Amino acid sequence: MVIVFGSVNLDLSVPVRQAPGPGETVLGGALLMGAGGKGANQAHAARRYGAAVALVGAVGDDSLAASALASLEAAGVDLTALRRVTGMRTGAALITLESQGENRIAVAPGANDAACADDVSDAALDAAKVLLLQIEVPTAQSGALARRAHARGCRVMLNAAPMPAGDALDLEAIDVVIVNRIELDQLADASGLAADVPQARALDLARRRRCDVLLTLGHEGALLATQGGAVHAVPGHRIDVVDSTGAGDTFAGVYAAACAAGQDIAAALLAANAAAALCCMRRGAQDAQPARVEIDAFLKTGEAA
């Protein structure tokens, strides 16, 4: 079982030729509305891969909540412990999708700020193989839950996004921190590390912070640097990117699900990397996430179904 403690949003996306600059307005294409939030996206991806998944977080009592939860409910994600907060709005993300596949995202947290670690029971942690966290809910709550889970022998993974400003992130109870290049640089700089090659930075960070560092590299693949000094790397996929909005969340969710299923590091990395590539070839976040059968077929043939 995978427990995801994190955010639930409704994504509002507009395709544009180029994102507007300061003070500029641009006309875009048709409005796209879909379920999102890093926690929800990762829970949905893990479930699509076949894991039993529980999502714990919070939504408001507004009209956005039903739309934000519809895909999760349809996929069979357990929402029993999800809070419905009276008087608060469900989180929302405003996204511009540029023609080159890049995106810019602004998030209104809303009810995500009410996510509470106490909503995850000790019994649930005892039953779970993996606890997956992100940083779109209060970091104090995530930290408290990470310490409880770690003490009970549950493997704790943190997708360090969006990276908080200020002091270095607390990774004391984290077994695996998942980062992209930008987030790696932010963590390494905050830790006073000088190496400038991504693999060397990941290794230095793993040793310094005593947790494994999983680095996503886009079309160059991904690598896991362990605190013991080992590196596990997989190559990337050359694809035509349509929308990269949910790729990182898809990677994290599938990696967590594969690890919970007992797959070794190499197999889990391959599955997560393939899932992220497939996600980039479609529009949306949860709507773009592949099922395990699609991932397995892509790994065999190198072609999307």
Side-chain angles (χ1 to χ4, degrees), residues 187-202:
L187 273 175
D189 289 345
S191 301
L193 302 176
D196 57 0
V197 177
Q199 178 173 311
R201 295 206 103 183

Side-chain angles (χ1 to χ4, degrees), residues 62-117:
D62 56 0
S63 60
L64 301 184
S67 297
L69 297 176
S71 295
L72 295 166
E73 291 171 339
V77 175
D78 183 354
L79 303 177
T80 305
L82 187 76
R83 286 189 177 217
R84 272 76 168 179
V85 186
T86 302
M88 295 191 76
R89 291 190 179 276
T90 299
L94 308 178
I95 305 168
T96 57
L97 304 173
E98 298 181 53
S99 57
Q100 298 84 2
E102 294 295 330
N103 58 74
R104 303 188 189 200
I105 306 172
V107 175
N112 291 311
D113 285 342
C116 181

Side-chain angles (χ1 to χ4, degrees), residues 207-284:
R207 294 189 189 101
R208 175 72 62 86
R209 305 300 293 274
R210 296 193 297 277
C211 68
D212 294 347
V213 176
L214 176 46
L215 174 62
T216 61
L217 295 165
H219 69 269
E220 296 178 21
L223 65 86
L224 180 77
T226 73
Q227 54 185 306
V231 175
H232 306 267
V234 295
H237 301 278
R238 293 287 179 176
I239 58 170
D240 293 325
V241 176
V242 174
D243 179 4
S244 62
T245 301
D249 292 336
T250 300
F251 186 104
V254 170
Y255 185 78
C259 289
Q263 294 185 28
D264 61 25
I265 291 172
L269 284 175
L270 285 169
N273 206 44
L278 287 166
C279 183
C280 287
M281 298 166 71
R282 307 163 183 169
R283 289 214 180 276

Side-chain angles (χ1 to χ4, degrees), residues 18 112 130 244 300:
Q18 184 173 338
N112 291 311
V130 174
S244 62
K300 287 181 180 178

Side-chain angles (χ1 to χ4, degrees), residues 43-200:
H44 189 267
R47 180 64 189 139
R48 290 277 281 164
Y49 194 69
V53 181
L55 173 64
V56 183
V59 295
D61 61 351
D62 56 0
S63 60
L64 301 184
S67 297
L69 297 176
S71 295
L72 295 166
E73 291 171 339
V77 175
D78 183 354
L79 303 177
T80 305
L82 187 76
R83 286 189 177 217
R84 272 76 168 179
V85 186
T86 302
M88 295 191 76
R89 291 190 179 276
T90 299
L94 308 178
I95 305 168
T96 57
L97 304 173
E98 298 181 53
S99 57
Q100 298 84 2
E102 294 295 330
N103 58 74
R104 303 188 189 200
I105 306 172
V107 175
N112 291 311
D113 285 342
C116 181
D118 289 343
D119 291 339
V120 182
S121 68
D122 287 343
L125 292 174
D126 289 340
K129 297 289 186 182
V130 174
L131 170 67
L132 180 57
L133 307 167
Q134 323 77 37
I135 313 180
E136 281 188 337
V137 295
T139 55
Q141 295 296 319
S142 294
L145 182 56
R147 289 187 289 274
R148 282 176 52 211
H150 190 76
R152 303 186 82 85
C154 182
R155 191 176 188 190
V156 182
M157 299 183 183
L158 171 68
N159 177 208
M163 184 66 67
D167 294 337
L169 194 64
D170 181 9
L171 300 178
E172 183 177 349
I174 304 301
D175 297 299
V176 182
V177 60
I178 305 171
V179 291
N180 61 21
R181 288 187 203 228
I182 295 173
E183 293 147 3
L184 171 66
D185 287 345
Q186 291 171 320
L187 273 175
D189 289 345
S191 301
L193 302 176
D196 57 0
V197 177
Q199 178 173 311

